[in-house]
Amino acid sequence: QRESTADGAASPIWLAPSDGSGAARQITFSPASDKGGESGPQWMPDGSAILFTARRGETRQIFRLPLAAGGEAAPIELKDSKLEISAGSFEISPDGKWLAVRASQPLTEAEKKDEKDKKDAAVQGEEKHPSRIWLYAFATGKTTAITPLDRSAGAVAWSPNSQELAIVTETPGDASDVAPNARLEMVS
């Protein structure tokens, strides 16, 4: 449910019994600074929590909201070499041990400075920071990029046994306007 534009157009997450036996209840509440609200909720396979994306601060993050014990939603820290990753979409592995996250390559500190100083001219059709797939291990908290910088990642799907990922990639930028260049890549 999306609130009115006058209310900031936030989209909180609601939980309702599937059999209609009870009323729906709102389980997330966006701070005033987050005009987009929460999106993309997914259950952890064991039913213990719901993961969702939201913007809190400078980056879009994935949050884990525990359901059994209650409590506040906490961000999952996605970092690669100390660079914060701004999460796009994500898929939880069927065994609940991994998180495949689609996100653009993070800006370096020098690029952030150039952007702030308005020295960030861009070439039309060039994708400087393509979308990549990052693998997050719940056990260790480690985040690793698994797709190369010369391909832009799209859809991702886990195998039923959580041993492989199917990822659609294509050449970054406007190359797909000339000819189809998407390919399916398997990662294990």
Side-chain angles (χ1 to χ4, degrees), residues 68-84:
E72 293 292 319
I76 293 173
E77 192 170 299
L78 301 172
K79 288 192 174 190
D80 179 57
S81 303
K82 299 180 185 172
L83 296 175
E84 282 191 37

Side-chain angles (χ1 to χ4, degrees), residues 50-177:
I50 291 178
L51 273 53
F52 61 89
T53 58
R55 180 177 290 280
R56 307 283 192 266
E58 292 183 29
T59 61
R60 188 152 193 78
Q61 297 171 289
I62 298 171
F63 286 81
R64 183 182 187 280
L65 178 63
L67 296 176
E72 293 292 319
I76 293 173
E77 192 170 299
L78 301 172
K79 288 192 174 190
D80 179 57
S81 303
K82 299 180 185 172
L83 296 175
E84 282 191 37
I85 298 166
S86 187
S89 58
F90 64 92
E91 291 294 329
I92 304 166
S93 65
D95 64 10
K97 294 179 180 179
W98 303 93
L99 193 60
V101 181
R102 183 174 177 259
S104 294
Q105 176 69 20
L107 296 174
T108 64
E109 290 304 317
E111 289 170 324
K112 287 179 185 177
K113 183 182 182 318
D114 285 349
E115 191 176 78
K116 184 181 175 192
D117 296 341
K118 306 288 185 208
K119 296 179 188 173
D120 59 344
V123 176
Q124 179 64 31
E126 181 181 277
E127 192 174 352
K128 198 170 175 182
H129 293 274
S131 292
R132 300 180 77 183
I133 301 298
W134 305 80
L135 200 58
Y136 174 84
F138 283 103
T140 63
K142 185 178 177 187
T143 307
T144 308
I146 60 170
T147 54
L149 279 169
D150 66 341
R151 302 290 293 170
S152 188
V156 60
W158 285 97
S159 65
N161 66 2
S162 303
Q163 298 298 308
E164 291 183 297
L165 273 172
I167 304 168
V168 176
T169 67
E170 63 183 10
T171 305
D174 289 342
S176 62
D177 291 348

